[in-house]
Amino acid sequence: MSVYQASAEWAAQRDAADPLRSYRDQFLIPPHGDGQCLYFCGNSLGLQPRGVRQAIETELERWSTLAVEGHFKGEQPWMTYHEAVRDHLAELVGAEPSEVVAMNTLSVNLHLMMVSFYRPTAQRPAILIEEGAFPTDRYAVASQIRFHGFDPERDLIELKADEPNGTLSMSAIEQALTEHGSRVALVLLPGVQYRTGQVFDLPAITRLAHAQGCTVGFDLAHSVGNVKLALHDAQADFAVWCNYKYLNGGPGAVGGAFVHSRHAHSELPRFAGWWGHDKTTRFKMGPQFDATPGAEGWQLSNPPILALAPLRASLELFHRAGMDALRAKSEDLTGYLEWLVDDQLSHVLESLTPREPERRGVQLSLRVHGGRERGRALFDHLVEQGIIGDWREPDVIRISPTPLYNRYSDCFGFAQAVRAWAEQHPA
């Protein structure tokens, strides 16, 4: 017998017993009618923490009263402001503080990392990604291949899904590396695949790729703040991510990057900027670039303080809650949503996301039976009802119950709305 029940009373009881229930009050839930939205779109844009407004106003006040001296004075001088988010970011991704930095945006960081870590030769020119990768990754790697004088038609290798619903097995990844590894300069895969919600085994992929002589990088846009990570122990060469999804850093938030400590003093080529220069001699204004050891040495420009303030406020919540507790709730909350889909909605929806908890995060990618037109009609109806997920062509609705602010009651409300719509619109 299932531990779950399809009733509002059962969901409310689970919410009342949730040890993380108070964190929902730390977020601004968008209104809908006389109540609130059911918001399942943290995989695309996280909600605003209540502390963000004060965090930004604090820096505005410092700007108004200290002006340029705000770089050096006050509780958190701007010169070292990026360090105020460093430790909590390192905690979230399982890294040493010197291995992470908040800077730029994901696509910019991806290109900066490839300048250093994609070093193609005539014998080893290729990049390996998954088929159906998020467009920015494919655009970036194809452009880097062309920039180095190679041909994406030949040197961009795409892993084809070998499991039902478009997911990839480790055996398929191993087979591809066995077949193509001697030609591959860089393996670039996601931590969580954006369309299917599949979690990838980062340590295993890194071991396989390194054994073939490949450099390894990961796009963690859908991973950070969603699943537990151990980047240092996984031995990845680099990783990049955005901070506006599960980390609630706000639209267009500053991104993040990881560079393993074995590259801390690397002489790999890079695009250099003044802010990446060794901080102990930066203001001597010398003509020769001397990189700050670690990930901070890849910085180009001084950090945007007003953009970092929201991320700092959100990371404090993650630090207090802890990823162990968040992950435990996530597995159960997403498990409840999956059970509701199976038990109540199987005539309407089918989950494409792996069923094993260790192979998924909070997201379920739900294919709507009946094709695109029917799927889009359901999605639009849900939005009108204040139930916010997101749509992926041609027929997938992504629903992501985020443990910091979503409830069992939200999942039940989603299921009720889908079932009511289906009764009015039979296939």
Side-chain angles (χ1 to χ4, degrees):
M1 178 179 292
S2 173
V3 298
Y4 301 123
Q5 296 179 26
S7 76
E9 293 76 17
W10 183 90
Q13 289 172 1
R14 290 299 290 266
D15 290 334
D18 175 14
L20 297 174
R21 63 187 180 279
S22 64
Y23 284 92
R24 178 179 171 85
D25 295 333
Q26 298 300 314
F27 290 86
L28 296 168
I29 314 296
H32 178 75
D34 295 329
Q36 297 174 324
C37 284
L38 301 185
Y39 192 81
F40 295 103
C41 212
N43 60 291
S44 187
L45 179 66
L47 293 180
Q48 182 185 138
R50 289 185 182 274
V52 163
R53 190 178 300 276
Q54 182 58 56
I56 294 175
E57 288 180 353
T58 295
E59 302 312 321
L60 290 173
E61 178 65 19
R62 286 161 50 76
W63 183 15
S64 72
T65 57
L66 295 175
V68 71
E69 288 299 301
H71 286 90
F72 311 102
K73 293 182 178 179
E75 181 181 350
Q76 181 56 66
W78 296 331
M79 281 292 296
T80 57
Y81 199 93
H82 64 287
E83 297 175 8
V85 303
R86 180 187 61 197
D87 289 357
H88 288 346
L89 272 180
E91 182 179 64
L92 274 180
V93 301
E96 297 172 359
S98 64
E99 293 177 315
V100 300
V101 62
M103 64 179 187
N104 309 311
T105 54
L106 186 155
S107 298
V108 173
N109 290 337
L110 179 55
H111 278 293
L112 291 176
M113 292 297 107
M114 285 195 287
V115 166
S116 297
F117 292 103
Y118 173 52
R119 309 303 304 162
T121 65
Q123 294 74 34
R124 194 184 280 270
I127 299 178
L128 178 70
I129 64 173
E130 86 276 20
E131 189 176 60
F134 192 79
T136 201
D137 288 2
R138 199 184 193 287
Y139 302 158
V141 299
S143 68
Q144 286 279 341
I145 290 169
R146 292 190 191 96
F147 178 79
H148 286 279
F150 297 101
D151 183 0
E153 290 296 320
R154 180 186 65 247
D155 300 321
L156 176 52
I157 301 171
E158 295 180 278
L159 281 164
K160 294 187 181 298
D162 65 321
E163 297 179 333
N165 300 325
T167 55
L168 271 160
S169 69
M170 275 304 305
S171 61
I173 297 172
E174 183 173 10
Q175 181 179 344
L177 284 168
T178 299
E179 180 180 353
H180 301 289
S182 63
R183 293 190 60 247
V184 172
L186 172 65
V187 173
L188 179 70
L189 291 172
V192 176
Q193 215 285 333
Y194 86 101
R195 191 171 188 275
T196 66
Q198 177 187 1
V199 170
F200 284 78
D201 187 337
L202 308 192
I205 291 169
T206 303
R207 285 194 299 271
L208 290 170
H210 280 172
Q212 295 289 338
C214 313
T215 300
V216 183
F218 292 106
D219 178 344
L220 303 179
H222 290 267
S223 306
V224 178
N226 176 10
V227 296
K228 292 188 68 176
L229 296 165
L231 289 182
H232 177 82
D233 292 343
Q235 296 289 308
D237 292 289
F238 73 88
V240 294
W241 62 90
C242 50
N243 288 315
Y244 52 78
K245 299 181 189 296
Y246 297 107
L247 291 197
N248 315 302
V254 177
F258 162 90
V259 178
H260 197 278
S261 59
R262 66 178 173 276
H263 303 299
H265 300 276
S266 171
E267 295 186 4
L268 285 167
R270 71 181 83 192
F271 287 165
W274 183 61
W275 210 261
H277 190 282
D278 188 334
K279 66 185 73 175
T280 64
T281 58
R282 186 181 295 155
F283 277 92
K284 291 186 177 181
M285 305 299 194
Q288 300 301 318
F289 178 74
D290 182 16
T292 297
E296 291 187 17
W298 271 265
Q299 294 178 108
L300 298 179
S301 304
N302 55 319
I305 304 305
L306 298 181
L308 281 173
L311 178 61
R312 186 183 178 196
S314 180
L315 285 173
E316 182 59 35
L317 297 176
F318 276 91
H319 175 68
R320 282 162 41 194
M323 275 305 297
D324 285 339
L326 288 168
R327 182 60 178 152
K329 178 181 174 182
S330 168
E331 290 184 5
D332 196 54
L333 194 61
T334 299
Y336 181 49
L337 176 62
E338 180 185 63
W339 179 84
L340 286 168
V341 169
D342 291 343
D343 187 72
Q344 305 283 304
L345 307 173
S346 61
H347 60 299
V348 188
L349 300 172
E350 171 194 10
S351 178
L352 307 182
T353 305
R355 290 184 172 270
E356 306 92 328
E358 66 275 12
R359 296 187 70 207
R360 69 178 182 212
V362 307
Q363 171 188 324
L364 290 187
S365 297
L366 303 174
R367 175 177 289 149
V368 184
H369 297 314
R372 185 191 185 282
E373 184 176 349
R374 179 172 167 79
R376 188 71 209 195
L378 171 57
F379 177 77
D380 292 343
H381 170 78
L382 292 173
V383 172
E384 291 172 1
Q385 298 298 307
I387 301 172
I388 309 300
D390 71 358
W391 174 257
R392 283 292 174 261
E393 295 289 351
D395 55 4
V396 171
I397 299 174
R398 298 189 302 180
I399 299 293
S400 301
T402 304
L404 271 175
Y405 48 75
N406 279 123
R407 305 168 299 181
Y408 293 85
S409 298
D410 297 338
C411 295
F412 180 72
F414 165 80
Q416 288 286 88
V418 172
R419 188 166 62 176
W421 177 87
E423 290 172 356
Q424 297 296 317
H425 302 83

